[in-house]
Amino acid sequence: MITNIRVVIGKLNCINDDLSSVISMARVFMELGKKDDDNFGVVLQHSNQNPRVTTSSVNVSKICGRDRELQILTKLLKEQGTSVECNVNVIPIVGMGGIGKTTLTQHAFNDEQIAKFFDEKVWICVSDDFNRLKILQDMVCSLTVSKSEKFAHNRNLDLLEGELKRNLQGKSLLLVLDDVWSSEWEKLLIPLQFSQMRLAKIVVTTRESKLLRKQDEKNKIVLQGLEDDDFWEFFVCCAFGGSEADERQSLQIIGRQIVKKLKGSPLAAKTVGRLLQQNMSNEHWMDVLRSNLWELGTSADDIMPGLALSYNHLPEHLQQCFVFCSTFPKDYKFMAVDLIEMWIAQGYVVESETSSKTVEEIGHAYFNELLSRSFFEKSYFSMYTIHDLLHDLAQSVCLGECVVYHGQTIKEKASIRHLCLQSIVNLRSICNIESLRTLVVSKGELRQEDYETLKSIRVLIFLDSQAQNCSYSTGHLRHLRYLEISEPSINLFDESLCKLYHLRVLPDLDVFPENLHNLINLRTLNSDTYRMYTKFDQHILMRFARWTKRQYMISQLRNMKELRGVLCLNDLEKIENREEAEKANIKEKCHLEVLILSWNDSNSCNSFATAHEVLEALEPNPNLKHLYVRGYKGYTSPSWFMPFTVHNLRILELMNCRSKLYLQSIGQLTFLLRLRLYRVDVRIDISDEVTILFSPREAWKL
């Protein structure tokens, strides 16, 4: 009989081969083993559970030229309210795009003195798609971490507002509503005004003063372009980097002329400065200064020409990758590994015949280049976003290929290749379905008759849980390479999914089809459901425990030779014999970097001999870099615990192993950086002459 085990497969959550990220992952692995044996696993995060989650993180350690405004904001935040409306005070911050409204607010939000002044702090990014329900869900989830699963998808406004009031009773609140585009934001004040809060300060950042209430004008902070000296200091930092600006007098002369064209905008200074930094020659800087693009500005404050100039100097392959990002709504948060996989699926990343780098490594290089040129911004943890103005730029140069549809009239249907739906619509009414290569269902339900004609689609993403209430047959999507859904608990697809032989990325599904092993090109499984999460809490643990209750057959892995990143096999005690374990073909998966093997500590009918045979059959490929073994109770070590078999290991961790393990010639593992032992009996040979014995509960780090 074939039994089921828990399987977690995921992409390493780092842009480069970052050893520290993997070590952090190992620490979480160990901590979870101490805290909760039943729900043991690597703690990971679903990147798209809430694509509207916003960031209060500060990307720079110093805020340039805004000392006065920061002092005013800090003073306003610390003032005791005098309003009769339940002490709810609004502080608007107004200024053009890219002027630094969000950065200023981030610094105040994260100030230690401000943090002590408020009981609760909540940061919400509103953006141009105002969604009162979604914002209330985010606010309640921020205040009730342990119950956030309960409220994350609750659509009852009265219930959400009632929960908000209960959690704020008698407290002081700092609420940031970032990037407001609609006067509907005032509706969010209603439950706050009628709650029994001690104090509420609401910071609203917007480009439009007309969206504010009259009573809020007295606290309004208007951001203009940076003063000349401050702006020059910021520009020098962006354009010269670590080089000595004083030694480059000729470039300084050119730079001061360029600065006059940047309108005092920090965003423009960053993008143009990084462009100049690519080539520190007089000729390159003069080319930028003399560019005709500067003449395209429509107003005195228009910084779009500066952004367009930076885009125009990108290599063609990077332009293509950047423009693709405008397929997603503004403020969309994405992970580098996901975006790179989408580029690969579209054919934007091509392996070089003269280089040994993989297509993923080349894609990472593309991403790093765009990041270094400030086309992407770090959001929170490993998430990134694109500034609104850069999103506008990408939309303006995509020639109609990338469209975010929210009900507008479409003129050039035939040109659309990448489409994001934000409302229910007949696909054929807005585009030529046969030409579509990307479809993102952000809002609304995809019609079955439209779905069945998507024969050329390569990237398919479902972000709306309502759209996921349908069941689709996928056999006709023969070119599909990337599939993502935001709700792993919902079954979208039937057995025909196993006919998608080109599929590279597959999300977590409630039940995987039996013939999943046919997906021979699959490289990432569960890439969006499971994410490494180094700062975990009760909410994250609960969600992870719920997801990993799903059962998979280990034989479903047998033909997936392209899997890479992290493979975690839990509940290995459920495997009854060696033959069943061998069906996983772990040794043939040469691209895996991390292998986690876990036996549940609960009593099992399986014998010590069976555990040994299972571990013997799970021999990894010699390319493996990190190996973690937990709960193993076989009577001895497997034969492949030898230096010549696992000679590339960087990290080896053994935990809660009841057997007396023997690590022969451990000193011959020349690449080993870390050895950690916890609750194990082990004998390790350091050399031919020296043998060191370790008793249970001792931990030793190499």
Side-chain angles (χ1 to χ4, degrees):
M1 182 181 74
I2 296 178
T3 54
N4 295 338
I5 65 169
R6 287 182 288 159
V7 179
V8 180
I9 306 171
K11 200 76 170 176
L12 277 179
N13 189 17
C14 50
I15 297 178
N16 300 310
D17 185 10
D18 187 354
L19 183 61
S20 63
S21 295
V22 180
I23 291 177
S24 296
M25 177 179 175
R27 288 173 180 165
V28 175
F29 180 94
M30 297 296 291
E31 290 299 324
L32 278 174
K34 299 174 187 177
K35 292 176 179 287
D36 189 348
D37 284 343
D38 293 331
N39 293 331
F40 175 79
V42 182
V43 182
L44 308 140
Q45 183 188 32
H46 178 204
S47 66
N48 282 324
Q49 179 183 346
N50 182 1
R52 302 287 299 173
V53 169
T54 56
T55 174
S56 59
S57 301
V58 182
N59 294 322
V60 291
S61 59
K62 177 185 176 183
I63 184 168
C64 184
R66 298 295 187 197
D67 293 340
R68 185 180 67 85
E69 290 88 349
L70 185 58
Q71 289 176 2
I72 294 173
L73 178 57
T74 301
K75 180 181 178 181
L76 289 172
L77 290 175
K78 290 183 177 181
E79 284 181 351
Q80 293 294 334
T82 57
S83 170
V84 295
E85 297 177 340
C86 188
N87 284 338
V88 176
N89 303 119
V90 176
I91 305 171
I93 301 179
V94 182
M96 68 177 185
I99 205 66
K101 301 183 295 295
T102 299
T103 301
L104 173 67
T105 309
Q106 285 171 337
H107 276 267
F109 190 89
N110 289 281
D111 183 86
E112 293 183 2
Q113 296 301 318
I114 296 295
K116 294 177 182 178
F117 193 77
F118 294 95
D119 299 314
E120 301 285 357
K121 298 194 303 176
V122 178
W123 182 289
I124 300 292
C125 182
V126 180
S127 197
D128 53 356
D129 180 28
F130 183 85
N131 187 329
R132 182 184 176 190
L133 174 64
K134 189 67 179 68
I135 292 172
L136 280 172
Q137 289 172 344
D138 289 345
M139 291 176 66
V140 173
C141 288
S142 296
L143 296 169
T144 58
V145 174
S146 61
K147 299 180 181 179
S148 58
E149 285 293 325
K150 176 180 177 181
F151 299 106
H153 303 289
N154 193 300
R155 307 184 68 83
N156 188 319
L157 280 172
D158 288 337
L159 187 148
L160 291 169
E161 290 185 351
E163 186 66 21
L164 188 66
K165 294 175 184 177
R166 280 191 293 274
N167 281 277
L168 292 175
Q169 186 173 359
K171 295 182 179 180
S172 57
L173 169 70
L174 170 57
L175 171 63
V176 173
L177 300 176
D178 189 32
D179 197 22
V180 170
W181 287 80
S182 168
S183 58
E184 291 189 71
W185 70 271
E186 296 179 28
K187 296 179 181 179
L188 300 174
L189 301 180
I190 297 174
L192 301 179
Q193 291 169 342
F194 289 95
S195 65
Q196 298 180 8
M197 281 190 301
R198 178 167 54 83
L199 176 67
K201 298 283 187 174
I202 300 155
V203 179
V204 176
T205 72
T206 181
R207 301 184 196 179
E208 302 288 344
S209 290
K210 62 184 180 181
L211 302 180
L212 304 176
R213 306 177 305 170
K214 289 183 179 180
Q215 60 264 43
D216 300 329
E217 290 289 332
K218 60 181 180 181
N219 291 334
K220 183 171 68 174
I221 299 174
V222 179
L223 291 190
Q224 305 289 349
L226 293 177
E227 297 292 334
D228 291 347
D229 291 343
D230 293 326
F231 192 54
W232 172 249
E233 179 185 352
F234 183 72
F235 173 81
V236 167
C237 180
C238 297
F240 290 92
S243 61
E244 293 296 332
D246 293 340
E247 299 176 2
R248 298 176 178 270
Q249 295 296 328
S250 59
L251 290 184
Q252 284 200 45
I253 295 173
I254 303 172
R256 288 193 178 276
Q257 297 178 68
I258 293 175
V259 160
K260 296 177 183 178
K261 299 176 179 290
L262 300 180
K263 321 294 184 185
S265 166
L267 177 63
K270 258 200 310 189
T271 54
V272 175
R274 298 291 165 81
L275 165 64
L276 295 170
Q277 196 179 119
Q278 301 297 316
N279 186 340
M280 304 294 286
S281 68
N282 288 359
E283 292 77 11
H284 174 62
W285 284 45
M286 285 301 299
D287 286 343
V288 171
L289 176 62
R290 295 169 178 168
S291 173
N292 293 329
L293 289 174
W294 294 114
E295 308 304 322
L296 298 179
T298 58
S299 68
D301 295 329
D302 191 357
I303 66 169
M304 195 60 76
L307 305 183
L309 186 66
S310 297
Y311 166 81
N312 199 48
H313 277 75
L314 287 176
E316 185 176 353
H317 63 277
L318 293 184
Q319 289 183 352
Q320 191 176 37
C321 290
F322 169 69
V323 168
F324 174 79
C325 299
S326 66
T327 304
F328 299 93
K330 287 183 178 180
D331 297 308
Y332 181 77
K333 306 297 186 297
F334 56 87
M335 302 191 77
V337 289
D338 294 336
L339 182 60
I340 291 165
E341 284 291 354
M342 294 180 210
W343 290 343
I344 295 172
Q346 299 294 349
Y348 297 160
V349 184
V350 182
E351 288 182 280
S352 172
E353 296 181 357
T354 60
S355 174
S356 60
K357 290 185 176 181
T358 66
V359 67
E360 289 86 3
E361 290 172 334
I362 296 172
H364 285 314
Y366 288 6
F367 186 91
N368 284 332
E369 182 69 14
L370 287 169
L371 181 64
S372 69
R373 293 174 182 244
S374 297
F375 283 92
F376 299 143
E377 295 179 352
K378 187 72 179 288
S379 180
Y380 63 96
F381 297 110
S382 296
M383 306 296 287
Y384 295 86
T385 189
I386 298 176
H387 193 280
D388 284 358
L389 290 179
L390 287 168
H391 189 281
D392 291 341
L393 172 64
Q395 279 281 311
S396 69
V397 298
C398 73
L399 303 178
E401 288 193 359
C402 305
V403 173
V404 179
Y405 180 80
H406 45 78
Q408 74 271 33
T409 301
I410 302 294
K411 296 181 180 179
E412 299 292 336
K413 299 180 182 180
S415 63
I416 299 177
R417 294 173 65 86
H418 312 288
L419 176 65
C420 176
L421 293 179
Q422 292 206 291
S423 64
I424 300 176
V425 68
N426 181 337
L427 275 181
R428 289 193 176 277
S429 68
I430 60 172
C431 68
N432 179 3
I433 294 182
E434 288 73 18
S435 299
L436 274 185
R437 296 296 182 268
T438 303
L439 179 61
V440 181
V441 185
S442 178
K443 286 185 180 178
E445 185 177 304
L446 187 62
R447 302 191 330 165
Q448 183 70 31
E449 54 267 34
D450 286 340
Y451 175 81
E452 291 174 352
T453 61
L454 297 173
K455 296 182 179 180
S456 300
I457 206 79
R458 294 191 174 204
V459 174
L460 180 59
I461 300 174
F462 291 90
L463 300 180
D464 188 350
S465 59
Q466 291 183 354
Q468 298 169 154
N469 290 326
C470 297
S471 178
Y472 301 111
S473 178
T474 60
H476 60 283
L477 304 177
R478 297 185 179 180
H479 295 285
L480 191 65
R481 287 160 168 76
Y482 183 97
L483 176 63
E484 175 186 331
I485 61 176
S486 64
E487 280 294 334
S489 62
I490 298 176
N491 252 344
L492 277 166
F493 309 106
D494 58 16
E495 189 68 30
S496 66
L497 178 73
C498 300
K499 297 180 181 179
L500 306 181
Y501 304 115
H502 293 292
L503 197 64
R504 294 170 52 93
V505 178
L506 178 67
D508 184 39
L509 302 175
D510 192 33
V511 178
F512 282 122
E514 182 177 350
N515 294 317
L516 193 68
H517 57 85
N518 289 336
L519 302 180
I520 58 176
N521 287 306
L522 199 65
R523 297 192 176 204
T524 306
L525 175 62
N526 301 350
S527 68
D528 294 306
T529 303
Y530 299 103
R531 285 299 179 199
M532 188 160 49
Y533 196 88
T534 55
K535 294 183 179 180
F536 54 91
D537 52 34
Q538 184 179 355
H539 165 51
I540 296 296
L541 286 171
M542 177 184 65
R543 186 165 71 238
F544 178 78
R546 175 172 63 84
W547 284 344
T548 56
K549 292 298 182 184
R550 302 202 177 91
Q551 305 294 302
Y552 316 111
M553 292 183 293
I554 197 170
S555 61
Q556 290 176 302
L557 302 175
R558 61 180 179 270
N559 295 332
M560 299 180 186
K561 297 180 181 180
E562 295 298 319
L563 286 176
R564 52 201 63 213
V566 182
L567 171 59
C568 177
L569 300 177
N570 290 328
D571 296 340
L572 290 173
E573 73 281 354
K574 295 182 179 180
I575 299 180
E576 296 185 347
N577 53 58
R578 176 171 182 159
E579 289 70 25
E580 185 180 343
E582 285 177 339
K583 293 179 180 179
N585 289 335
I586 301 299
K587 189 174 182 180
E588 296 183 9
K589 301 178 188 348
C590 59
H591 301 296
L592 284 179
E593 297 184 33
V594 180
L595 179 61
I596 304 171
L597 304 175
S598 176
W599 282 257
N600 195 315
D601 281 343
S602 61
N603 294 327
S604 172
C605 59
N606 284 0
S607 66
F608 288 83
T610 301
H612 172 75
E613 291 298 317
V614 168
L615 185 57
E616 190 74 48
L618 296 177
E619 177 182 349
N621 188 276
N623 291 336
L624 191 73
K625 295 180 180 179
H626 312 282
L627 176 63
Y628 307 85
V629 180
R630 173 198 182 265
Y632 173 64
K633 58 181 180 180
Y635 55 77
T636 187
S637 307
S639 62
W640 50 264
F641 258 46
M642 302 288 288
F644 59 84
T645 306
V646 288
H647 57 84
N648 278 314
L649 278 185
R650 270 70 165 171
I651 295 178
L652 174 61
E653 295 202 6
L654 307 174
M655 185 176 69
N656 291 342
C657 296
R658 301 176 183 177
S659 310
K660 293 185 180 296
L661 297 178
Y662 176 46
L663 303 183
Q664 186 176 3
S665 304
I666 192 73
Q668 296 179 22
L669 292 175
T670 55
F671 296 108
L672 193 66
L673 298 175
R674 180 185 178 92
L675 173 64
R676 182 166 184 176
L677 310 173
Y678 183 79
R679 291 181 178 174
V680 295
D681 281 339
V682 64
R683 186 176 72 180
I684 297 181
D685 282 356
I686 298 297
S687 67
D688 293 338
E689 295 81 20
V690 181
T691 298
I692 300 180
L693 296 178
F694 297 90
S695 60
R697 295 182 177 274
E698 278 189 331
W700 182 64
K701 298 179 183 179
L702 187 65

